[in-house]
Amino acid sequence: MIYLVVINPVSGDSNKKSLTYFLQEQAQSKGFDLEIFETTGNNDYAKLEEKVESLNPDKLLVAGGDGTLLMAAEVVMDKNIPIGLFPVGSANGMAAELDLPTMMLNIPILDQQSFKRAWRIIEEGHSVKVDMVRINGEYSIHLADVGLNAEIVKGFDESDSRGFATYAHQFFQKYTSKKAFSYLVRADDGRLYSGKAYMLSIANARMFGTGAIINPRGNVSDGTVELCVIKQASALSILKSAGSIITGNVEYDADQVEIISVQQATIELDPAQSFQIDGELQKPVSKIDVSILPSVVEVYCSEDFKNQA
Ligand SMILES: [Mg+2]
């Protein structure tokens, strides 16, 4: 048995060395081979792909956040190599989605307990086959969006400071200046939707990393992706809907938020909008092609999650 672990050494602020020691201990006591792949930010995808090709590991362990998970998922999609996740990134939305144990990092004893909990999920071996979404030639496993949230991500990227206060500042700044855009959605089965919106999410998952639910209907393994359109019903409604991104509360009203389940769709936007996929800022877009790639990546999850999936 060979386990390949992908570690993003700069993701989040936890001590990745203690995780490496933990995994080396497991490898010794359980008798598997452990290979470590550290991301550098330079051509990681191609290097990991080469590593997976040459090693053909039995499991791919991912120690990082949503960005590292997305890269790993792209590499092993359709390859029958399950992913075990140690959610130690700065954004761990997919871990929350899969109901994985929260990491309590940077306190040595809690580190160990966190690693043990994540490891137990992998050892128990319950897994779900997760869908991915193809969006304008890129992949998404979690959440992509145009409009307000992508503008916040852009402002956050351009800002020197980090953390929740910066996010909140960006939120209120972008929120007060945001103008509605026109959208036209054509679903593959002929359904048409159009109107004005402040934000449109392409949601494989249910929630942001903060736990705020954008897509109450979301299920990462049901073979459909939701287009969640946040429309303007009133100034208050946009405050409430978009505010839930921060507070974690969700009180959606049908005329404020429209949720469209599709397998494939095209979206037209006017004017072009800021755009992000799984936390990575993209070029502004006016046209988006979306299609679901059903059940392409196997990811370990809790037994409870598997039973309800
Ligand atoms: Mg789904």
Side-chain angles (χ1 to χ4, degrees):
M1 294 281 265
I2 302 174
Y3 294 7
L4 174 61
V5 54
V6 182
I7 294 188
N8 177 354
V10 293
S11 155
D13 48 10
S14 71
N15 183 353
K16 303 294 156 46
K17 279 217 169 65
S18 57
L19 177 58
T20 307
Y21 293 142
F22 174 84
L23 289 172
Q24 283 165 341
E25 264 173 32
Q26 299 303 318
Q28 271 191 348
S29 67
K30 311 273 159 60
F32 59 84
D33 292 323
L34 184 71
E35 278 278 330
I36 294 168
F37 177 93
E38 281 201 6
T39 59
T40 61
N42 177 21
N43 213 11
D44 289 323
Y45 176 84
K47 287 178 192 163
L48 180 62
E49 196 172 39
E50 203 181 296
K51 191 85 178 165
V52 167
E53 288 291 326
S54 65
L55 214 59
N56 193 25
D58 297 279
K59 294 185 203 301
L60 186 64
L61 310 181
V62 175
D66 290 327
T68 313
L69 173 65
L70 176 63
M71 180 187 67
E74 283 183 50
V75 169
V76 299
M77 77 194 255
D78 289 324
K79 280 202 174 76
N80 248 342
I81 302 171
I83 290 179
L85 188 56
F86 289 86
V88 293
S90 45
N92 304 295
M94 271 310 274
E97 197 65 40
L98 295 165
D99 200 23
L100 294 175
T102 314
M103 298 265 115
M104 305 279 287
L105 298 171
N106 298 319
I107 303 168
I109 289 172
L110 295 182
D111 258 13
Q112 291 297 312
Q113 287 174 358
S114 297
F115 300 154
K116 272 182 200 157
R117 280 202 302 269
W119 180 249
R120 198 174 303 138
I121 297 272
I122 296 165
E123 280 202 307
E124 285 172 358
H126 301 288
S127 64
V128 280
K129 291 270 178 77
V130 171
D131 308 329
M132 288 178 73
V133 187
R134 190 86 165 142
I135 306 174
N136 282 4
E138 304 287 330
Y139 292 102
S140 167
I141 195 169
H142 186 231
L143 291 172
D145 49 61
V146 293
L148 185 61
N149 187 56
E151 284 178 22
I152 296 168
V153 169
K154 182 166 184 279
F156 195 82
D157 269 15
E158 286 165 357
S159 164
D160 294 332
S161 46
R162 287 285 171 266
F164 182 76
T166 307
Y167 186 87
H169 172 75
Q170 286 298 330
F171 173 82
F172 287 109
Q173 201 178 51
K174 304 299 179 198
Y175 160 73
T176 47
S177 62
K178 181 62 193 155
K179 291 193 174 63
F181 56 87
S182 300
Y183 69 90
L184 170 65
V185 172
R186 290 171 210 273
D188 51 324
D189 55 8
R191 283 174 296 156
L192 278 179
Y193 303 84
S194 62
K196 292 266 186 187
Y198 283 82
M199 177 172 155
L200 190 157
S201 278
I202 302 162
N204 196 36
R206 282 175 303 152
M207 59 178 108
F208 288 92
T210 57
I213 293 176
I214 178 87
N215 178 19
R217 230 190 258 174
N219 176 332
V220 291
S221 55
D222 67 353
T224 64
V225 55
E226 279 72 41
L227 309 179
C228 307
V229 188
I230 300 191
K231 305 187 283 189
Q232 181 191 30
S234 67
L236 184 64
S237 82
I238 185 73
L239 179 63
K240 233 164 60 176
S241 325
S244 72
I245 295 167
I246 286 186
T247 61
N249 296 324
V250 65
E251 266 182 72
Y252 287 164
D253 187 317
D255 6 300
Q256 293 165 3
V257 180
E258 181 156 44
I259 298 183
I260 309 164
S261 288
V262 298
Q263 290 171 308
Q264 206 177 334
T266 59
I267 304 164
E268 287 169 44
L269 307 164
D270 185 28
Q273 292 296 307
S274 297
F275 180 33
Q276 70 86 19
I277 300 177
D278 290 13
E280 277 296 311
L281 199 64
Q282 313 287 318
K283 287 196 187 113
V285 279
S286 54
K287 186 164 188 290
I288 306 173
D289 290 308
V290 179
S291 56
I292 193 93
L293 305 168
S295 307
V296 287
V297 186
E298 185 177 359
V299 183
Y300 291 112
C301 63
S302 68
E303 187 175 8
D304 284 353
F305 185 84
K306 188 186 170 63
N307 289 339
Q308 78 197 28

